[in-house]
Amino acid sequence: MGKIRVLSDTVANKIAAGEVVERPASVVKELIENSLDAGATELRIDVESGGRRLIRIADNGCGMLRDDALLAFERHATSKLSDVRDLLSIATLGFRGEALPSIASVSRLVLETRSADESTGAAVEINGGKLLRCDEFPGAPGTTVTVRDLFFNVPARKKFLRSDQTELAHIASLATHYSLAHPQKSVQLRHGANELLDVTPVETLRERVYQVFGNQVLDELIDLDMVERELDVVEAEERASRVFAVRGFVSAPQVQKLNRNSIFLFVNGRLIRDRLLLHALSSAYHNLMPSGCYPFALLFLDCDCEEVDVNVHPSKTEVRFRHGSFVHDFVRDAIREKLIAARPASSLPVPTQPQPAADLPFSDFTQRIENQRFEPVPDLMAEPERPEDLPVFTMRPSVAPESRFDFSKEATQAEIPVPHVPETHGPLPSGSEPPQNLSALSDLRPLGQIHDSFIIAAGRDGLWIIDQHVAHERILFERVLRQQAEGRVERQQLLMPILLELSAAQQIEYASIADELDRAGFDSEPFGQRTVAVKAAPAGVGPADIENLVFEILEIAESELRKVSLDDLRRAMAASIACRAAIKINMRLDHAKMEWLLTQLAATDCPMSCPHGRPIALRYSTRDILKSFHRI
Ligand SMILES: Nc1ncnc2c1ncn2[C@@H]1O[C@H](COP(=O)(O)OP(=O)(O)OP(=O)(O)O)[C@@H](O)[C@H]1O
Ligand SMILES: [Mg+2]
């Protein structure tokens, strides 16, 4: 007798639940998505004990016909697909027909639903996958799903759950981000008696960001507006045009996070994690932010359903693009152009080091905002599991710029900032101070230097401090890049060639980038067995620096060539040259030099950060000065 048996539905559902339902937040995600697919405009989410004891989502969507209410718990039962061709253009968030049966197999679930077309609805109760009852339901149209005792029958899964506050943070983050994706809907989230999120319908994403994060955070963000790009494709031998659109908010380069937890990507309204889009985002910040740091980003990419395959993973959190490299470059360029156009200035105080962030798949940002906003929330404020779970507001840590070289503990602890959080969720206030912009640099009046290193300048809108070394570095970096592209980097002939002895590995690197070295302004040639003679070098680099610079470039080539493009290699080389050629700190500058530096800096594409990602200019706004002197 054969050994193969077809699994019962109960077992199959539990297996599917293993993939679909990882933790309470996964249940919330599936139920929110169902409510959105049902056209709901009001979602109310109640949870208890971080979602372990109770998750309830009530919506005012289309509800289900009584016959459908039972069918919804059959495996692969869905109203969203009917044909295999539909799989190629999925417009709904759900399509697999397995979320409800999966959740019901690992919890005690009650579904109450009524379609507006019927006078009564249905109430279905299922316990660990077993149907207990199916009664009439007299309530209002819409659907309420109540999930109790998640994983009561899967002890192994239960053990993997983290503390209530961590599970709740995941849920809060998820609800917050779906609320951002749907400004026109009202979303409420309650944990026991605590209201964690309560947003009423608004017109724009901007207003919703304000409702959720407050004005101060909104000031730190750059609105991408809506950027569109068309792609011509040939479909069944016919030409067609596909439109891609990206919108949302990204942070100024000075907001630096140590992990990707503050990046939210939505593709056609679906919250996803995607390496291609993450890479596009990092590329947009290349040379604006130190490597290993990440921005805050809320990105919505919309395109034809045919352009994206969502049927990649059971939890529907990954996608595959049909024209991946087009999407990558489009998103990178759209963000980069906005960053350059916005030229955001760092206000004083500014973060000097990226801040550690909690290990959450969604937003540490949200969690922190929540903590600030709903203080005291006993559950969230309870003993954290690990030090990283401690709420820390990271958008504006108050550390004086001088302390960059001496990052003392007191500096961080002494000045914990209090973010402005709106008391109510009223309309976005108009006439608030416009975000600082670095276009003002050229109008500044230099007053002098501190420590012969930082230029102090007065402007119409406040006091500015400019780091002279990184400012000059940015000016030179962009100049070298431009000259590289045009193949005419300014070079200086050396009186005596400099001889460099290379290791075997360095000789190989040298051979592979000899042309690039030439392009970057070095005249060099092999000189005997292991030696290279450098006869000319990029202008501005002192003779004492040339040897180190060449070795640094060989090292970059070794690490960069393996994994990144020629473009990245050129940028890295330009950054090294700029760093060596730039005026140093501890150098006295006369008035004319300071003026020259500010004017040149104002004319760069990205005056906000040096090519290694450090901030260049800080502004102490007149308003902040007045506030500090208690004049307003
Ligand atoms: N809140 C709701 N309002 C109205 N109908 C719903 C609601 N939730 C579920 N349904 C109905 O139940 C069906 C099954 O839901 P389920 O989440 O299991 O599958 P799905 O959403 O179709 O696909 P997926 O498994 O990808 O989520 C849905 O297709 C939909 O018709
Ligand atoms: Mg679903």
Side-chain angles (χ1 to χ4, degrees):
M1 194 174 133
K3 291 181 185 164
I4 299 177
R5 273 173 293 142
V6 173
L7 296 177
S8 71
D9 269 1
T10 321
V11 179
N13 283 337
K14 261 194 164 176
I15 292 174
E19 291 171 317
V20 176
V21 190
E22 191 194 333
R23 61 191 332 155
S26 339
V27 173
V28 173
K29 170 184 174 293
E30 292 297 339
L31 298 181
I32 290 181
E33 290 187 351
N34 278 349
S35 297
L36 293 172
D37 280 345
T41 54
E42 289 168 20
L43 282 80
R44 187 188 164 82
I45 308 158
D46 279 285
V47 293
E48 285 173 18
S49 306
R52 295 160 198 266
R53 194 183 313 150
L54 172 97
I55 297 170
R56 177 183 293 126
I57 301 197
D59 70 46
N60 65 345
C62 65
M64 286 179 239
L65 298 174
R66 290 187 51 196
D67 291 347
D68 283 348
L70 266 184
L71 209 52
F73 292 95
E74 294 289 330
R75 207 161 143 65
H76 304 309
T78 178
S79 58
K80 302 169 193 177
L81 283 187
S82 54
D83 195 294
V84 69
R85 269 168 304 171
D86 294 347
L87 260 183
L88 301 176
S89 58
I90 294 166
T92 48
L93 296 166
F95 56 90
R96 303 173 62 97
E98 59 183 7
L100 283 182
S102 301
I103 298 166
S105 73
V106 292
S107 67
R108 305 179 209 278
L109 183 149
V110 176
L111 166 88
E112 291 156 320
T113 188
R114 197 193 122 197
S115 154
D117 297 340
E118 289 184 325
S119 52
T120 59
V124 178
E125 188 170 349
I126 297 179
N127 209 337
K130 288 194 197 71
L131 180 68
L132 295 189
R133 67 179 174 100
C134 176
D135 300 332
E136 278 199 357
F137 172 69
T143 302
T144 302
V145 179
T146 309
V147 176
R148 287 180 205 276
D149 303 330
L150 185 64
F151 299 137
F152 79 94
N153 55 351
V154 199
R157 235 330 127 84
K158 215 171 173 179
K159 273 197 216 128
F160 277 102
L161 293 183
R162 307 272 297 277
S163 68
D164 280 4
Q165 70 264 29
T166 302
E167 296 302 336
L168 178 62
H170 283 271
I171 293 173
S173 177
L174 202 81
T176 305
H177 289 89
Y178 266 110
S179 82
L180 288 161
H182 295 273
Q184 292 87 358
K185 304 189 188 234
S186 72
V187 183
Q188 277 177 297
L189 170 65
R190 275 170 38 148
H191 185 239
N194 293 316
E195 196 83 59
L196 293 182
L197 180 74
D198 184 2
V199 284
T200 49
V202 283
E203 287 284 305
T204 62
L205 176 60
R206 188 179 182 78
E207 288 166 282
R208 181 54 53 98
V209 168
Y210 167 75
Q211 285 180 318
V212 172
F213 296 126
N215 214 9
Q216 191 170 357
V217 171
L218 194 57
D219 277 352
E220 302 261 6
L221 300 178
I222 296 164
D223 194 342
L224 295 177
D225 300 314
M226 166 86 90
V227 187
E228 286 186 349
R229 196 182 281 179
E230 274 184 38
L231 172 70
D232 288 332
V233 294
V234 177
E235 188 94 336
E237 294 185 10
E238 282 197 20
R239 291 182 75 81
S241 186
R242 301 264 194 250
V243 181
F244 292 80
V246 67
R247 62 198 170 85
F249 287 87
V250 293
S251 55
Q254 22 330 326
V255 178
Q256 294 165 6
K257 308 279 184 168
L258 275 180
N259 59 31
R260 302 182 179 89
N261 293 345
S262 305
I263 297 174
F264 303 93
L265 307 172
F266 290 81
V267 172
N268 289 345
R270 182 190 304 280
L271 184 58
I272 57 145
R273 296 171 207 147
D274 183 65
R275 291 183 56 185
L276 181 104
L277 291 180
L278 280 175
H279 190 270
L281 181 67
S282 323
S283 308
Y285 283 85
H286 197 62
N287 292 123
L288 293 177
M289 203 181 252
S291 60
C293 290
Y294 303 91
F296 167 90
L298 184 61
L299 287 188
F300 297 92
L301 177 75
D302 293 303
C303 57
D304 289 316
C305 303
E306 289 87 357
E307 282 295 316
V308 48
D309 184 359
V310 290
N311 189 19
V312 177
H313 190 271
S315 64
K316 297 168 286 184
T317 48
E318 289 170 28
V319 295
R320 208 174 286 136
F321 292 103
R322 272 183 71 187
H323 297 96
S325 66
F326 174 87
V327 169
H328 175 275
D329 292 358
F330 164 55
V331 171
R332 180 198 59 201
D333 297 347
I335 297 171
R336 199 169 178 97
E337 275 160 30
K338 287 286 174 187
L339 277 176
I340 289 175
R343 301 159 92 77
S346 302
S347 55
L348 249 170
V350 69
T352 56
Q353 293 197 346
Q355 302 295 304
D359 175 26
L360 295 175
F362 297 103
S363 176
D364 62 293
F365 186 78
T366 315
Q367 186 194 0
R368 286 157 193 191
I369 299 286
E370 301 296 358
N371 288 338
Q372 297 282 335
R373 178 165 161 186
F374 302 109
E375 236 175 38
V377 180
D379 274 321
L380 279 174
M381 298 308 284
E383 199 58 10
E385 285 177 304
R386 294 164 302 127
E388 310 93 272
D389 280 341
L390 271 172
V392 186
F393 185 77
T394 58
M395 290 293 274
R396 280 172 182 267
S398 299
V399 184
E402 285 85 345
S403 67
R404 181 192 299 156
F405 308 112
D406 174 25
F407 190 74
S408 67
K409 236 182 162 192
E410 292 89 297
T412 23
Q413 286 173 351
E415 308 169 63
I416 293 180
V418 186
H420 163 75
V421 173
E423 292 284 301
T424 57
H425 312 290
L428 190 58
S430 58
S432 62
E433 200 185 10
Q436 311 87 320
N437 183 303
L438 283 155
S439 303
L441 280 171
S442 56
D443 298 332
L444 300 187
R445 206 158 30 90
L447 304 174
Q449 285 170 290
I450 318 181
H451 293 309
D452 287 343
S453 304
F454 305 102
I455 299 171
I456 304 299
R460 256 174 302 156
D461 58 346
L463 179 78
W464 292 70
I465 306 179
I466 295 103
D467 180 327
Q468 63 193 40
H469 170 67
V470 292
H472 196 205
E473 215 179 342
R474 166 55 68 182
I475 297 165
L476 293 177
F477 170 69
E478 294 193 8
R479 184 190 297 164
V480 174
L481 271 188
R482 253 193 326 273
Q483 294 177 346
Q484 262 180 3
E486 295 162 2
R488 48 161 201 94
V489 172
E490 261 176 72
R491 47 185 91 201
Q492 48 180 342
Q493 294 299 325
L494 304 177
L495 286 175
M496 291 276 291
I498 295 181
L499 300 182
L500 306 178
E501 214 167 288
L502 305 186
S503 68
Q506 285 168 334
Q507 284 177 71
I508 298 171
E509 293 320 326
Y510 175 77
S512 68
I513 62 157
D515 287 352
E516 284 306 315
L517 273 172
D518 180 49
R519 200 176 237 281
F522 292 94
D523 275 348
S524 66
E525 57 187 27
F527 185 81
Q529 262 223 325
R530 290 171 147 232
T531 310
V532 164
V534 182
K535 293 188 290 188
V541 180
D545 278 334
I546 291 175
E547 178 172 346
N548 286 340
L549 180 57
V550 173
F551 282 125
E552 192 174 301
I553 290 176
L554 289 174
E555 211 171 287
I556 295 170
E558 192 185 4
S559 57
E560 304 273 312
L561 272 182
R562 272 192 213 126
K563 52 183 196 313
V564 292
S565 64
L566 194 59
D567 185 56
D568 288 339
L569 173 68
R570 285 186 187 156
R571 283 176 162 273
M573 285 169 74
S576 284
I577 294 169
C579 183
R580 299 278 171 179
I583 48 170
K584 306 282 182 286
I585 53 170
N586 298 319
M587 184 184 279
R588 173 129 333 145
L589 301 179
D590 61 24
H591 193 82
K593 282 219 177 75
M594 290 192 269
E595 259 183 355
W596 176 87
L597 201 69
L598 297 183
T599 317
Q600 293 288 310
L601 180 64
T604 59
D605 281 345
C606 299
M608 42 283 188
S609 17
C610 84
H612 303 107
R614 297 206 307 238
I616 294 175
L618 308 177
R619 191 191 68 148
Y620 196 7
S621 72
T622 311
R623 191 182 158 74
D624 284 344
I625 295 173
L626 289 170
K627 257 203 217 148
S628 304
F629 284 117
H630 298 228
R631 286 187 175 274
I632 53 171

